[in-house]
Each structure stands twice: as structure tokens, then as C-alpha cells.
Amino acid sequence: MAADESTSGPAAPAADALPPSWSVPRPPRWLPRALLYAVLAVAGLIAAFWILGKLQGLLTVLMVSLFLAFAIEPAVNWLAARGVRRGAGTGAVFVLLLVVIVAFVWTLGALLVNQVTMLVQNAPEYVQDIVDWINATFNQDLSGDDLTNYASEWSSTIEKYLVGIAGNVWGIGTVAIGALFQLLGVLLFTFYFAADGPRFRTWVCSLLPPRQQKHVLRAWDIAVDKTGGYIYSRALLALCSAVAHYLALRIFDVPSAFALALWVGVVSQFIPTVGTYLAGALPVLVALVHNPITAVWILLFIIAYQQFENYVLQPRITATTLDMHPAVAFGAVIAGAALLGPTGALLAIPVTATLQGFAGAYVRRYEVTEAPPVRKKKRKTPPPTDTADE
């Protein structure tokens, strides 16, 4: 037995005697559950983004409707305080806005028809004036027939584009029907939000604990106040701009002065960032058709009035309704356009004003104290030594 044990070789080490580098570590018990939760979270995020992408149109309609409801709610509240039911008051405000929009479109349509008719009637005279100016300026020898040939070539090119557009009637009709349904949806949700405003606020607050209801109601009141103030201030600025430009256009004898002044007042105030340039381009073009010198004077007046409005009129009107720095407003419009396109650009200023008002109500500010002046330490001069004693 001893011989067998000596010849059989060393015995295999036990499992417990293996060095640590040979043992396989077991995963912790919480790792599979954590991996499952991570996979579910990622899947939930993907599903949420997919749903938001599909519902982007509906969310945009709801956002625009809520903004319009905030804008007309002060008028509805004013009518409700005088005994008018909220539904009837909301309908009255809708009818008034519809009348204003129809009058605005009708006036601009009449302006467009008059200008196009005048342009067609005076086209030969305009062509001859252009020919004379080109010959005198560039030392050319053109005639009206040359410009007629160029015009026929351009008209054939334009006709091809129009034929191509007409061939896509089905696509254009589909887009138009979709836009019409979106408009009807905006009007319907706006009516419900404005007519049932108190009931809707009560329903929202019923989902929150009592401590949070106070903050929601305060934020709601700030949003209504800022949005209504934005519409009020813009309407007042549009009225001032329309009156000033009407007087200027009448002084310089520009035709369709009322329609042009109305265009400048509305477009310059209610279209952010580019509204000023779009508003000023039309009266300058109309004046240019009649008299180039008059167009120059109109352009100078528009620039001067814009400076007066930016530095004198607008700060006084918006001081109590929409106190916002121009740089903040410009950045908000750019951010809104990047997020939601034209809709975001339109909603950017009132939304930013609401956030600014909410932050001003809850963020505590402190007075800025001047830093104490730095006092320079005086160098100690050593006492004078009496060299005579030495």
C-alpha cells in the first residue's frame, strides 16, 4: 500500500485550495434585474419618442390653441364679469376677431387688385422708361422689342413651372385640406380652452396635492397675464405704426395709403424678426412704381420710425405688459423657430415672457453691493539713524 501511494503521484488539489486567480467570479444577484430595468427604460424612451413624433401635429395644435385661449381669456373674463355666459362671450370674441381678419384680408386684396391693374395698364410706359434708363446708364442701344422678346422667354419659363405645379394638384389639395383641418382643430380647442377655462383649471388642480395647486394656479395666472399683455402691447404698437405710416403715405401722395399703412402696422408687430422688413418692402415697392424719389423718402421714413419705435415707443408701452430685453426676445425667436418652425417663432416671445414672470415670482434676488476699495498698505519707514553719534 505504501508503494502504491508513493508511485501514484501527487494528489489533485481540492477546489477550496485553488488560488484566487483560478476561481470564476459569480455575478451579483442584482445584475440581471438591473439589466432588465435598463432594457425596459431604453425601450420606453424609444417608444415615447416614437409616440411624440407621431403626435407632433396634435401637440402643436394644442399648444397654439392654449396660446390663443390665453390671449382671449382676459376679454372673455371681462364679458363674464358683466353677466355674459362664458360660451357666448367666447363666441362674441371669435366673431369680432373673424370680422377683423376678413376686413384685413379684404383691404389687402383690394390693394393687390388695384396695383396689378395699374401695373398692367401702365406696362408699356414702364417698359419704355426702363429702356431709356438702361440706354442712358450703360450706353446701350436697346428697344422695346428687345425687352418684349426677353419677357416672352421669361413667360415661357414661368409657364413651364406653372404647368409643373398644376400637375401636382392632388398633392397641393391634400396639403390644403390638412391645413384646413388643423385650422379647424385650433379653433375648436381654443373655444373649449377659453369657454371652460375655470373648469379646466379645476380639473388640472384636482390631479395635484393641495400644496402644488397654489403654484399651478399662480403659473396659470402669470401665463394669461403675459400672453394677454403681449397681444395688447402688440395691438397698440400696430395702431401707432399704422397711423404714423398712413400720415406719411398721404403726405407723399402714395396710392392705397390706408391699406399699406394697415399692412405695415399688422405685419411689423405680429410677425417676429422678419416682420419689419416684410412690412416696409410693400409700400416702398408701390411708391417705386409711381415715383422713385418718393420711394426713397418712404424708405427713410420707415427707418426713422423704426428707430423711434425701438428706443422711445416700445419701451414705454411694454414696460408694464411685457418687460423683456430685445436680445432675449431675439434669442427666444431663434430658439422657437429652431424647435417648432414658424409656430415656435410666433409663440417664443409670450412663452419666454411667461417663464421670465414665473422666475421673477419665485426666484429671490439680492441687491448688488459694491466691493470695498482695496486699501494699499503703507510701508513702514525705518526711523532715521543718527550717524553723528557713530
Side-chain angles (χ1 to χ4, degrees), residues 32 42 44 62 73 85 148 185 229-230 263 299 321 327 332 357 382:
V42 172
L62 291 176
E73 188 166 350
R85 297 180 59 182
T148 303
Y230 170 73
W263 164 267
L299 178 61
T321 57

Side-chain angles (χ1 to χ4, degrees), residues 320-372:
T320 57
T321 57
L322 198 69
D323 189 10
M324 185 184 300
H325 195 275
V328 177
F330 184 72
V333 170
I334 294 177
L339 292 175
L340 295 176
T343 304
L346 182 64
L347 302 180
I349 295 180
V351 170
T352 305
T354 301
L355 295 177
Q356 185 176 350
F358 189 75
Y362 284 95
V363 177
R364 185 177 179 182
R365 297 179 180 272
Y366 301 91
E367 295 183 359
V368 179
T369 57
E370 296 182 357

Side-chain angles (χ1 to χ4, degrees), residues 65-74 194 201 220 223-225 227-228 354:
S65 302
L66 192 61
F67 163 73
L68 294 177
F70 286 163
I72 67 174
E73 188 166 350
R201 283 196 294 269
W220 198 290
V224 172
D225 181 52
T227 306
T354 301

